[in-house]
Amino acid sequence: MTVGPAIDDLHFSQEPDVDEVPGPKSNELLERQRNVDSNAVAYPRRVPIALDEAKGATIRDADGNTFLDFFAGIGVLNVGHSNPYVLDAVKSQLDDVAHTIDFPTEARIDLIDKLREIAPGGLQGSSNVVFGGPSGSDAIEGSIKLAKHNTGRQGVLAFEGAYHGTTAGALSLTAGKKYKKGYSPLLADAVHVPYPDPEGTEDGISVERALDAVQRKFEDPYGGHESPAGIWAEPIQGEGGINVPPQGFLQGLRDIADDNDALLVIDEIQTGFGRTGEWFASDHYDVTPDAITMAKALGGSGLPIGGVLYHEKFDTWGPGGHVGTFRGNAPAMIGGIRAIDYIESHDLLSHATELGEYIRGRFAELAETTPEIADVRGKGLFVGVEFVDEDGAPADDLVEAIQTRCYENGVLVWSAGRHGNVLRLIPPLVLTEQQAEVGTNIICDAIDSSTN
Ligand SMILES: Cc1ncc(COP(=O)(O)O)c(C=O)c1O
């Protein structure tokens, strides 16, 4: 017996249905937004639609155009928009009690139990979870405090290409200069070292070189900084360009953290909850982190919730050691439980693995006749396609042109990469085979027409 509807029944349709976009109602709302909303608004500049409704892996705009959603609210809607199995429980919890600070509720304790069950490696059954503020950045802040509190040290180490969020501590770990410009100084003693390039990259940064740089920050007496309290790493870099590190990297980080009494914090905010075909991307590398940060898909329905799951030996802080008013969003908690149940019951980890292989296979085939495709990579439904120009330089304009053509033909895609030259595909895990095929056809056509 499976729970909730079959994945085929979650969507408006299996194919997009788009007239000329943006339509008049979208244009009107976009214009109203430009007049009153912040200049910081970013997404509608690239994908100019006003949203009306969304179901499964489909989105309907204010003019009734239906799109296939290949970015899932940037990795939030793993079980699809408005999944009824999730929403029924969320709505009923909302009627009962919504805001619970950190008083016990069934939703809270059941969610923690579930997270302890699906946690990577040795964290299973021997971990605790702390909820703080509701965003991924808040989870990262919590993990920084956890590492400092447990080691008595201040420094933090992260990687070039990293994205960990935008609050002061998280922003210190984020590597993108555009996010930091004008806001320094942030945390003192935050260092960034190279992240290894994906397997097979010519003249790339090897695992050995990356690990050597990390080790020197801890062990070189003239390394330039106090030994860090922890190492923060995305198991696959998302914003950085869907960079899949070769085997050996996470294990090497594990060893260095152990040798230096530092915490290994793996940021699973974008990679968690089945995105890569395992519950957490750490599982691909058989490494047990000391802590994982979670947000995005954790709440199941898009309601915000963030948290840190860490080994119980680090649960050394006292009452109030890490707090936040919005640490008890019960509807998001029950949504998280339902989403995990739905993923389990519909075997979406295998489904994500299979569809991801199919989609990457299609782009790899296209790459044979498209020299602008420099690389196709990822795991599960975390897919990156890297583009270069005829001189081998990053082709961010090309990615933007492809994105626009996809949008005009009914598929919403996003970009990534240090230079914005990677097409990032992170559809809901409930994407059907037919949607994967139709969507990939449209993306391949957009690549063809933008490169010829
Ligand atoms: C790996 C990773 N960490 C942290 C964050 C920050 O999360 P939030 O935007 O919810 O603060 C993100 C957001 O994209 C992310 O991808």
Side-chain angles (χ1 to χ4, degrees):
M1 255 292 278
T2 52
V3 300
I7 65 166
D8 280 345
D9 299 331
L10 292 177
H11 320 271
F12 289 125
S13 58
Q14 297 293 319
E15 306 202 355
D17 180 7
V18 172
D19 281 341
E20 206 149 295
V21 286
K25 289 195 179 136
S26 276
N27 266 331
E28 188 196 321
L29 278 164
L30 288 161
E31 175 63 19
R32 283 179 61 194
Q33 182 179 42
R34 275 191 290 274
N35 289 337
V36 296
D37 208 338
S38 164
N39 202 34
V41 163
Y43 282 88
R45 291 177 202 261
R46 291 282 285 271
V47 178
I49 52 170
L51 304 186
D52 189 37
E53 312 174 74
K55 269 178 148 198
T58 49
I59 288 183
R60 210 159 258 171
D61 76 3
D63 297 284
N65 295 301
T66 306
F67 297 86
L68 290 182
D69 178 7
F70 271 54
F71 62 70
I74 297 297
V76 169
L77 297 150
N78 286 9
V79 292
H81 296 267
S82 315
N83 184 312
Y85 180 68
V86 176
L87 279 198
D88 285 351
V90 168
K91 287 178 188 164
S92 135
Q93 182 67 52
L94 201 53
D95 283 338
D96 293 343
V97 59
H99 175 66
T100 66
I101 326 174
D102 56 15
F103 290 104
T105 56
E106 268 185 40
R108 183 185 194 94
I109 309 307
D110 287 352
L111 177 61
I112 296 174
D113 280 343
K114 276 268 170 216
L115 293 171
R116 283 161 53 96
E117 251 173 68
I118 64 167
L123 290 173
Q124 267 172 28
S126 37
S127 45
N128 299 107
V129 179
V130 70
F131 299 104
S135 73
S137 300
D138 293 320
I140 294 285
E141 297 295 336
S143 71
I144 294 173
K145 284 161 68 183
L146 184 79
K148 287 185 174 185
H149 184 74
N150 276 284
T151 60
R153 303 199 298 261
Q154 305 300 313
V156 291
L157 183 144
F159 292 89
E160 293 166 11
Y163 187 83
H164 296 288
T166 52
T167 50
L171 189 55
S172 305
L173 296 171
T174 288
K177 292 183 184 175
K178 66 180 174 188
Y179 301 109
K180 300 174 122 158
K181 196 166 174 276
Y183 302 122
S184 297
L186 296 161
L187 288 188
D189 283 2
V191 293
H192 290 84
V193 294
Y195 194 82
D197 282 307
E199 198 82 63
T201 311
E202 248 175 71
D203 300 327
I205 290 167
S206 64
V207 168
E208 292 69 31
R209 198 176 138 199
L211 291 176
D212 181 56
V214 177
Q215 193 161 14
R216 279 191 286 129
K217 287 292 165 205
F218 282 96
E219 297 173 17
D220 181 344
Y222 272 59
H225 294 271
E226 183 200 23
S227 214
I231 300 171
W232 278 260
E234 290 159 271
I236 297 174
Q237 285 189 333
E239 170 90 7
I242 320 293
N243 299 324
V244 184
Q247 283 292 344
F249 176 58
L250 287 201
Q251 185 56 54
L253 295 182
R254 177 68 278 168
D255 295 343
I256 296 171
D258 286 343
D259 289 348
N260 292 281
D261 298 323
L263 268 71
L264 177 61
V265 181
I266 298 298
D267 182 349
E268 295 272 9
I269 288 169
Q270 195 165 159
T271 46
F273 303 100
R275 168 60 47 205
T276 68
E278 295 279 359
W279 282 115
F280 296 99
S282 307
D283 296 324
H284 291 288
Y285 299 96
D286 279 336
V287 165
T288 301
D290 293 314
I292 59 171
T293 49
M294 309 167 292
K296 289 196 188 270
L298 170 57
S301 69
L303 290 182
I305 176 169
V308 187
L309 179 143
Y310 53 91
H311 195 277
E312 58 196 12
K313 72 182 172 207
F314 298 115
D315 199 33
T316 55
W317 39 26
H322 181 57
V323 294
T325 303
F326 291 111
R327 64 186 189 276
N329 184 339
M333 288 168 165
I334 195 123
I337 299 166
R338 285 285 176 116
I340 293 170
D341 283 350
Y342 190 88
I343 291 171
E344 254 168 0
S345 164
H346 293 263
D347 197 12
L348 294 186
L349 301 184
S350 311
H351 182 68
T353 305
E354 282 155 25
L355 281 198
E357 271 164 22
Y358 164 76
I359 293 172
R360 275 188 294 281
R362 292 283 311 277
F363 292 121
E365 210 175 285
L366 184 62
E368 287 170 18
T369 52
T370 312
E372 291 86 349
I373 298 182
D375 195 20
V376 179
R377 52 187 183 245
K379 279 192 190 291
L381 284 172
F382 203 36
V383 179
V385 188
E386 182 178 340
F387 288 87
V388 292
D389 65 17
E390 65 272 17
D391 301 321
D396 51 325
D397 290 353
L398 181 55
V399 169
E400 207 169 321
I402 294 165
Q403 187 182 26
T404 301
R405 283 210 157 92
C406 287
Y407 149 72
E408 287 165 354
N409 291 299
V411 180
L412 304 180
V413 299
W414 204 249
S415 60
R418 292 179 193 196
H419 305 281
N421 64 321
V422 178
L423 200 62
R424 171 170 29 169
L425 308 176
I426 41 173
L429 313 183
V430 296
L431 189 79
T432 65
E433 281 175 31
Q434 194 182 341
Q435 289 171 327
E437 187 180 341
V438 171
T440 309
N441 288 345
I442 291 172
I443 301 167
C444 287
D445 286 347
I447 296 172
D448 254 345
S449 57
S450 308
T451 49
N452 287 314

